[in-house]
Amino acid sequence: MSEQVLPLLEAHDVTVRFGGLVAVDGVSANFVPGELVGIIGPNGAGKTTFFNAISGVQVPTAGRLIAHGHNLTGRGPHRFAAHGVARTFQTPRVFPDMPVAANIEFGLKFAGKRRRKYLFWGDEVGVPWALRDAASILSLIGLSAQAELPAAAITPSQQRLLEIGMALATRPKLLLLDEVAAGLTESEIEEMARLIRRLRDELDLTVIWIEHAVTTLLRHVERVIVLHQGRKIADDTPHNVVRNPEVIEAYLGDEMAEPSAEEEEVAA
Amino acid sequence: MTSRQFLIRDLLVLLAFTGWTLALPFYASEFVVSMALTCLMYVALSSSWGLFCGSTRYLSLATSAFFGIGAYTTAILLGQFSWVETIAIGAGMAVVVAVVMGAAVLHLRGTYFAVLTFGMTELIMHAVTYFEKTVTGTVGRVLTVVPERDTIYLTVLALAVLAVAVSIVVRRTRFGLALMGIGADEQRAQTLGVNTRLVKIAGFALTAGFAGAVGAAMAVRWTYIDPHTVFNPFIGFQTVLITLIGGVLTLWGPLLAAIIFSVLAESLRLQFPQIYLMSLGLLLILCVLYLPGGLASLRGETFKGWWNDSRDWTKDLRRELSGEKEREKQRLKRREKESHFV
Amino acid sequence: MSLTAWLELITSGLITGGIYALVALGLNLQYGLMRILNIAHGEFLMVGAYLTWLVQTQFGLSPLLMVPVAFVLLMVLGVAVHFLCFRRLTATSPNLDVFEARGLMVAFGLMFLVQNFVSWQWGGDLRGYDYLTEPVKFGEAQFAANKLLVFGLALLFSGALIALLRMTLLGKGVRALMQSAIGAQLMGIDTKRLHPLMFGIGLGLSGIAGALLSMAYTITPYMGQPYTVTALIVITLGGFGSMGGALIGGLFLGVIEALGMHFTNPSLKALLSYVVFIAVLLLRPEGLFTRKSRKA
């Protein structure tokens, strides 16, 4: 039986205004199942605000958000979570006093639960095997050893992994990752990127990834959206985006003036 | 101890407590029973308050409002309805008011919420006063139908035990987890799928229901009630104080504190009522500053921690007085200057 | 109603309003600057009143003299209270929400402590003394001299505070801190010294209010709480952190109350003031008199 490929999430002309400041200015984008999309842009471009809008944390001033055909504009974050949108926060927001395993179980018990369908002998249908319980999620992100520690006691980079784990516990279809590689070394960023690709491949997800480590991101994603001062200025493959004159100008030639040899090679 | 062992322990303690308080009227004096009644009232009020306000950290000062609503229900309806029915209706009315209040107010946090609930309590009191004066033409109400002392005692005991039992159960359910999540990081909990609005209103309604039921039951102790007695904000304040001092996140803290304070209150009330209240205030300040988890969180490590803290403080003070701090500062300054010449 | 009667009514409203403004300014200073919602504020007003009464009855000193003395005494008390009770909170609270909640609870405890201490020492009966009770005439209208004095001094001190905040360097520092704590600290403004000082000044103001009140009204250990509640309503109407709003709001509320008392019965007035209070908190939490400029 074939399914009509409905976009997972459609953002139509999303605008977010704070008083006089326009943080997101009429951004439209559709996301289909299985994509690995990167969002980049200079500081203040509105990337996190856009995330806030498409996860329900921020009600947009204008525009529409449709998930799987359901209009979710103006609904709260728990409705978005129920429709399979999960996100991480730039600074990890874990529940500090609860043990790591309990942090994961939280998502499993709420949004994660709603999306389960049982066959009559108690097995879950439609949920990836790797997300079946807290223990398997912990081993997926590599935090099994820390399961009983209070979340406040683990290192910040471990907390970042926990953030991802908590988001995965909601059994999402769309995973929003906000600068999960901030402050990591080159090799760590590479590892993170590979983890993200694995998650997308094994768990049947769509991943949208905001990142400042632009070179690494460009190596791993298939599609890049560039935001600048709240507007979308590019939405294309990495290969084309690095050659886009508007994008180059926005970054003032910092990282992207000359496409490096490896970018050429990967994007080709 | 595993979770199951905790559960068994809690239930056993509750059972023992129930048995003991049940037997009390048979062998204790009138005075002790009266004290036990006040104690049980505050056990019910604090346990149910802590259930919602403790985990979500929304400090509600509306307990007096719900108490008063319950009391007035009894004053008006007892006689037309049976005792149990009246209590239930009292609780029900409180729940209705709580849902309305909650829907309007629960999106605000912290001090705003606390101040608002206080304002609403006063509002309800003045509304009832005005209504009574103008529409029914009375100032207070006399309770004509008064059940036996033992009935009242049993009812309040049942409410107290129920409040503690509900606390024990809720902690282990998804609802309790949602409440804790809201207290830890509300927005995060939302992104993980918790419908915080609904959960908060439900929790708030739960505390209101208990407060209303307790108010309905206790009203018959005063044969004459008026808005100022039953809507007295002090009831709410004392509930909050007891729960905070006992330990707002714990199960047995409020119960412990309620017992201690009832004893203190009754023994000091006749001669030194102000000293009782002063000690309440002082204890609260000390708890918030040095023991935020309340009395129930006292452990061996807490005392060690205090000992170390005070030792460090005196050491620091000695250093400062002996001028060593000054000398160190000068040494650092000199070293800095020298490094400039390098 | 005759013009004189109107005048008397509005003036009596302004007089109580002046006191409200004074108390509200102090509360506002503490909350706007330090996020400490001091609900024990009214109790310190009561302390100021009792001190003045004590001095007047024991030593015969004029209450006018006590006004600055009350200010100084309560300011010192305020610094001590801040040092003992609130300083530790800044160090141990993980975030602002928790700090505010804990501050509120400490203030709660203080309220119980202070109120009952006074009640224990001096009993719960009404006390008072006579001072300048001769009436003063303006045309046909008659006012008690002491009440006029109270009004004048209340306005004077309110104005002085606002001037202090607008014109002195200290005041500018305070206002900077209110707008952006971190920015101000980066500029070198020392919060460790400033906070206790400002807390003390806030309490000092309520001490003055208490001293003034004792001149014209009777005092009881329980007189403080209604003033705290009213001050809360005033700063809600005027906007948390807005000094001018607190002043105007206080006067405004005083007049409204006087009119309300006169034309309707007291319960309805109380009812209406709470309705307004809650409505403002829900619909326009930044206050009626501020410009809607701030956004989180």
Side-chain angles (χ1 to χ4, degrees):
Chain A
M1 122 185 113
S2 70
E3 283 175 49
Q4 183 188 19
V5 182
L6 255 177
L8 267 187
L9 185 74
E10 301 162 54
H12 294 283
D13 255 330
V14 172
T15 306
V16 180
R17 221 171 288 163
F18 296 117
L21 172 72
V22 184
V24 176
D25 193 355
V27 174
S28 297
N30 288 357
F31 302 99
V32 294
E35 281 194 282
L36 180 53
V37 186
I39 298 189
I40 61 177
N43 273 323
K47 310 189 287 291
T48 303
T49 316
F50 182 64
F51 259 21
N52 287 343
I54 62 177
S55 59
V57 170
Q58 172 78 46
V59 177
T61 325
R64 282 179 310 139
L65 291 160
I66 303 182
H68 256 295
H70 299 267
N71 187 346
L72 291 184
T73 325
R75 311 286 237 106
H78 68 278
R79 296 300 312 161
F80 281 80
H83 281 272
V85 177
R87 66 164 298 172
T88 64
F89 288 88
Q90 239 174 336
T91 348
R93 285 165 74 161
V94 299
F95 297 123
D97 301 317
M98 294 197 231
V100 164
N103 271 265
I104 304 269
E105 275 163 4
F106 200 93
L108 283 174
K109 290 197 175 136
F110 291 98
K113 203 178 180 110
R114 205 185 288 228
R115 310 196 64 248
R116 290 201 297 218
K117 296 191 233 327
Y118 288 94
L119 291 179
F120 67 82
W121 56 79
D123 257 354
E124 296 181 276
V125 189
V127 173
W129 182 243
L131 295 182
R132 66 188 178 282
D133 58 18
S136 41
I137 296 180
L138 280 172
S139 70
L140 186 62
I141 54 175
L143 287 180
S144 302
Q146 286 80 10
E148 295 307 314
L149 293 174
I154 61 180
T155 71
S157 36
Q158 286 174 327
Q159 282 181 351
R160 213 169 283 147
L161 288 172
L162 181 56
E163 268 281 291
I164 299 179
M166 287 166 79
L168 289 174
T170 64
R171 275 77 172 268
K173 283 275 164 248
L174 179 63
L175 181 62
L176 308 174
L177 298 172
D178 197 348
E179 294 199 31
V180 287
L184 298 182
T185 65
E186 276 285 338
S187 56
E188 285 173 336
I189 299 179
E190 191 56 42
E191 246 186 81
M192 179 65 80
R194 265 179 272 151
L195 172 65
I196 294 175
R197 266 198 110 140
R198 252 186 72 207
L199 292 176
R200 191 277 303 260
D201 297 334
E202 288 179 27
L203 302 175
D204 197 25
L205 287 178
T206 303
V207 179
I208 311 181
W209 181 16
I210 292 181
E211 198 46 69
H212 268 304
V214 173
T215 19
T216 319
L217 179 140
L218 288 176
R219 260 205 299 275
H220 291 272
V221 302
E222 296 132 10
R223 173 183 163 201
V224 182
I225 295 178
V226 186
L227 295 181
H228 182 48
Q229 288 174 347
R231 282 173 301 110
K232 182 170 84 168
I233 60 175
D235 184 352
D236 214 331
T237 62
H239 181 261
N240 295 340
V241 158
V242 300
R243 287 166 180 71
N244 184 317
E246 231 190 307
V247 172
I248 295 173
E249 202 193 309
Y251 270 95
L252 293 172
D254 261 17
E255 281 188 68
M256 299 172 50
E258 296 294 310
S260 65
E262 50 173 83
E263 278 162 11
E264 290 262 10
E265 168 201 323
V266 170
Chain B
M1 279 209 258
T2 67
S3 164
R4 161 139 303 162
Q5 284 173 318
F6 270 120
L7 179 64
I8 296 180
R9 179 200 72 171
D10 287 342
L11 288 175
L12 281 176
V13 175
L14 185 61
L15 207 63
F17 176 72
T18 317
W20 182 71
T21 40
L22 211 59
L24 209 60
F26 294 107
Y27 64 85
S29 69
E30 188 82 34
F31 174 71
V32 172
V33 175
S34 157
M35 188 170 76
L37 189 60
T38 321
C39 173
L40 285 171
M41 169 173 120
Y42 277 107
V43 168
L45 287 175
S46 344
S47 297
S48 56
W49 189 90
L51 179 64
F52 173 67
C53 304
S55 26
T56 58
R57 296 204 276 126
Y58 276 79
L59 296 178
S60 155
L61 291 173
T63 309
S64 313
F66 303 126
F67 185 90
I69 290 173
Y72 260 84
T73 315
T74 304
I76 298 175
L77 293 179
L78 190 61
Q80 296 159 7
F81 292 92
S82 76
W83 176 241
V84 177
E85 283 171 348
T86 318
I87 306 271
I89 297 178
M93 295 294 297
V95 166
V96 168
V97 173
V99 170
V100 171
M101 207 197 277
V105 161
L106 276 166
H107 61 280
L108 297 168
R109 278 225 78 142
T111 33
Y112 271 104
F113 179 73
V115 167
L116 259 171
T117 48
F118 176 72
M120 290 214 152
T121 310
E122 295 285 292
L123 181 87
I124 293 178
M125 175 173 86
H126 288 292
V128 170
T129 317
Y130 179 66
F131 184 78
E132 290 278 273
K133 269 202 204 150
T134 47
V135 175
T136 47
T138 57
V139 173
R141 286 177 180 264
V142 180
L143 286 114
T144 46
V145 184
V146 176
E148 286 206 7
R149 181 201 77 165
D150 282 348
T151 323
I152 307 175
Y153 185 81
L154 275 173
T155 317
V156 178
L157 189 150
L159 287 172
V161 169
L162 190 64
V164 178
V166 167
S167 298
I168 294 178
V169 168
V170 164
R171 270 153 199 272
R172 289 175 163 76
T173 62
R174 223 166 67 123
F175 180 57
L177 189 63
L179 289 172
M180 301 244 39
I182 293 176
D185 189 333
E186 188 166 349
Q187 204 179 58
R188 193 74 182 98
Q190 281 179 316
T191 58
L192 292 171
V194 177
N195 185 344
T196 51
R197 199 175 150 85
L198 217 65
V199 170
K200 283 188 289 187
I201 294 181
F204 194 50
L206 195 60
T207 41
F210 273 104
V214 171
M218 293 298 283
V220 291
R221 275 195 91 194
W222 302 291
T223 40
Y224 171 79
I225 64 164
D226 70 350
H228 277 271
T229 342
V230 294
F231 286 107
N232 187 354
F234 182 69
I235 300 171
F237 291 165
Q238 195 160 25
T239 308
V240 174
L241 248 70
I242 288 178
T243 322
L244 288 175
I245 295 176
V248 84
L249 279 173
T250 65
L251 189 61
W252 298 108
L255 190 138
L256 212 71
I259 295 177
I260 296 177
F261 285 110
S262 307
V263 172
L264 257 177
E266 288 300 313
S267 31
L268 290 175
R269 190 160 60 95
L270 292 169
Q271 272 120 12
F272 311 110
Q274 295 107 345
I275 298 197
Y276 164 64
L277 293 169
M278 276 169 61
S279 53
L280 258 189
L282 189 61
L283 254 172
L284 178 65
I285 297 178
L286 289 175
C287 267
V288 173
L289 289 178
Y290 299 104
L291 198 61
L295 287 176
S297 71
L298 271 179
R299 300 260 183 289
E301 303 95 59
T302 338
F303 290 111
K304 255 196 263 168
W306 288 344
W307 180 244
N308 288 336
D309 273 347
S310 54
R311 264 216 334 238
D312 291 335
W313 186 77
T314 41
K315 246 195 253 169
D316 199 52
L317 193 68
R318 268 210 307 256
R319 277 177 61 222
E320 195 162 333
L321 292 175
S322 71
E324 201 187 309
K325 247 193 178 170
E326 266 307 309
R327 273 179 260 145
E328 245 191 78
K329 266 201 228 163
Q330 300 295 351
R331 244 178 278 149
L332 281 169
K333 270 203 189 141
R334 252 184 287 130
R335 230 174 274 157
E336 245 189 71
K337 283 204 190 123
E338 283 161 14
S339 69
H340 282 314
F341 289 109
V342 173
Chain C
M1 222 172 66
S2 68
L3 188 62
T4 354
W6 269 109
L7 215 67
E8 281 184 354
L9 191 61
I10 294 189
T11 318
S12 80
L14 284 175
I15 291 171
T16 30
I19 297 283
Y20 290 159
L22 205 55
V23 182
L25 279 172
L27 195 65
N28 216 357
L29 197 61
Q30 292 166 339
Y31 187 68
L33 182 62
M34 292 166 264
R35 301 303 220 143
I36 296 175
L37 195 60
N38 183 11
I39 54 172
H41 203 73
E43 312 311 319
F44 294 102
L45 174 150
M46 182 264 296
V47 169
Y50 264 81
L51 280 174
T52 317
W53 167 78
L54 260 176
V55 161
Q56 212 272 347
T57 45
Q58 301 277 12
F59 307 115
L61 268 174
S62 158
L64 205 56
L65 227 85
M66 270 307 282
V67 169
V69 174
F71 177 77
V72 170
L73 282 177
L74 273 146
M75 191 171 94
V76 170
L77 184 64
V79 173
V81 164
H82 186 266
F83 194 75
L84 285 173
C85 303
F86 293 102
R87 244 206 4 179
R88 195 189 152 93
L89 285 183
T90 345
T92 55
S93 304
N95 60 45
L96 187 63
D97 264 349
V98 174
F99 174 74
E100 276 198 34
R102 289 194 180 161
L104 187 64
M105 296 194 286
V106 170
F108 226 19
L110 277 173
M111 179 176 95
F112 273 72
L113 199 57
V114 174
Q115 201 181 83
N116 288 284
F117 179 73
V118 173
S119 166
W120 179 47
Q121 289 291 325
W122 289 288
D125 307 318
L126 296 170
R127 310 263 182 201
Y129 56 86
D130 288 323
Y131 181 68
L132 286 185
T133 46
E134 321 83 52
V136 172
K137 278 189 159 171
F138 285 103
E140 297 233 336
Q142 237 190 20
F143 308 104
N146 53 14
K147 296 202 174 149
L148 280 180
L149 183 64
V150 164
F151 178 57
L153 287 176
L155 272 190
L156 180 71
F157 286 108
S158 307
L161 181 75
I162 296 186
L164 178 86
L165 286 176
R166 287 267 160 93
M167 292 174 215
T168 64
L169 199 60
L170 176 71
K172 292 198 178 141
V174 170
R175 280 162 63 220
L177 270 174
M178 280 200 200
Q179 291 207 1
S180 163
I182 296 185
Q185 282 176 315
L186 286 174
M187 294 279 162
I189 298 177
D190 185 2
T191 50
K192 258 189 151 173
R193 296 248 173 83
L194 205 59
H195 279 189
L197 183 67
M198 283 297 146
F199 191 80
I201 290 185
L203 280 196
L205 282 175
S206 68
I208 295 180
L212 290 175
L213 273 177
S214 69
M215 288 188 215
Y217 303 93
T218 48
I219 64 178
T220 99
Y222 309 107
M223 65 190 280
Q225 207 166 337
Y227 283 99
T228 312
V229 175
T230 317
L232 254 176
I233 299 184
V234 169
I235 63 177
T236 311
L237 289 180
F240 290 100
S242 160
M243 291 295 152
L247 180 59
I248 299 176
L251 294 170
F252 183 61
L253 196 67
V255 173
I256 298 273
E257 253 193 28
L259 293 174
M261 287 274 241
H262 187 87
F263 291 114
T264 66
N265 74 64
S267 314
L268 189 61
K269 173 217 83 159
L271 184 62
L272 285 177
S273 44
Y274 277 105
V275 170
V276 170
F277 176 50
I278 290 174
V280 172
L281 264 180
L282 285 179
L283 299 170
R284 217 193 135 95
E286 65 274 6
L288 291 176
F289 299 110
T290 50
R291 265 165 281 134
K292 207 166 188 172
S293 53
R294 299 202 302 156
K295 224 310 174 173

